[in-house]
Amino acid sequence: MARGRNSRREHDHGWDHPDGWGIVYEEKGRLRAYRSAQPCWEDSTLDAFRGARVFLLHARRATNGTVSAENAHPFCREVRGRTWFFSHNGTVHDPLVVPDGEGRAATTDSHRLFLCLAAEDLSGDPAAALRSVYGSLARYTSLNTFLLEQKELWAVCRWAKDEAYYTLHVGEAGEGPVVSSEPLPELSAAWTRIPNGSLLRVDRSTGAIEHTVLVTA
């Protein structure tokens, strides 16, 4: 998928994702993250995670900011005692004003988008934070987002162009639900397209999925 060999849309456009990658995995019952500036298919560290419980995997295709481990997803931040991991697919052209000058350290739109979310009541009400920040945006290719915490995963499917590229899918695999940018043939799962404008919450303890609307008109 990262090399653009699964999707016809990516194959036709030559869209691969060589600009770093990151992963959230479980170690001793806690979520940990690893980020790299290398293409995932060239990074030998990837082999170390083949036996791990993986909860988030992102391969970057840079549209702004340098190619570096610091700009690879997922970004991580503690908010009111809860550690959140964030990845985003798309480009935001709206100005993203981060409170308290924290945006100086964020050189990509995705990182600034995460800091804007973190400035809201993210750990108190993630849905309200997502609706507040994303509802204020108008110029973007996609706001597709994975927001992961120890107890839950929030997934946003909201795109403005390139439907075939940005549409997300959800499948019920043996160990629980999987949300992906494409159906994964390696998993025996029944895949369903997620409607544009959707907000999903996955309870990590039960695997239950709640479908809601991100922003109402």
Side-chain angles (χ1 to χ4, degrees):
M1 186 189 302
R3 304 190 77 171
R5 294 178 178 176
N6 281 21
S7 168
R8 177 65 181 269
R9 177 70 169 165
E10 291 190 356
H11 179 76
D12 289 348
H13 287 76
W15 287 348
D16 58 359
H17 294 69
D19 302 317
W21 69 282
I23 188 172
V24 178
Y25 62 99
E26 190 175 61
E27 182 179 70
K28 298 180 179 179
R30 304 297 298 175
L31 298 182
R32 311 291 184 190
Y34 171 83
R35 296 188 294 170
S36 169
Q38 298 184 63
C40 59
W41 57 88
E42 293 181 1
D43 191 344
S44 60
T45 307
L46 181 63
D47 292 334
F49 298 105
R50 293 190 183 277
R53 296 189 68 194
V54 175
F55 295 99
L56 183 62
L57 183 65
H58 181 275
R60 183 182 180 220
R61 181 174 181 265
T63 54
N64 56 67
T66 60
V67 176
S68 65
E70 291 74 21
N71 285 337
H73 306 206
F75 301 104
C76 175
R77 189 175 182 85
E78 183 176 312
V79 181
R80 292 173 55 190
R82 299 174 69 183
T83 300
W84 292 92
F85 301 90
F86 173 89
S87 66
H88 164 240
N89 184 23
T91 303
V92 178
H93 300 290
D94 291 283
L96 296 166
V97 181
V98 180
D100 301 325
E102 291 186 85
R104 288 190 295 253
T107 61
T108 69
D109 59 312
S110 296
H111 194 179
R112 289 191 295 271
L113 184 61
F114 182 40
L115 292 178
C116 288
L117 283 172
E120 299 284 328
D121 188 17
L122 185 57
S123 287
D125 191 341
L130 287 162
R131 290 186 172 114
S132 174
V133 175
Y134 288 12
S136 68
L137 302 176
R139 297 189 297 120
Y140 53 83
T141 59
S142 166
L143 298 175
N144 285 1
T145 293
F146 293 92
L147 186 62
L148 175 67
E149 195 263 345
Q150 192 74 25
K151 297 180 180 180
E152 59 191 356
L153 167 72
W154 293 86
V156 170
C157 179
R158 186 173 178 85
W159 42 265
K161 58 183 296 186
D162 291 320
E163 175 181 358
Y165 176 65
Y166 284 118
T167 295
L168 295 178
H169 301 76
V170 61
E172 288 287 347
E175 293 189 356
V178 178
V179 183
S180 175
S181 58
E182 296 177 23
L184 302 174
E186 298 84 355
L187 299 179
S188 298
W191 293 94
T192 304
R193 291 165 62 96
I194 299 174
N196 191 20
S198 296
L199 174 62
L200 272 64
R201 178 188 180 273
V202 180
D203 186 316
R204 291 192 54 224
S205 63
T206 65
I209 305 177
E210 301 172 12
H211 294 255
T212 58
V213 177
L214 177 64
V215 178
T216 58

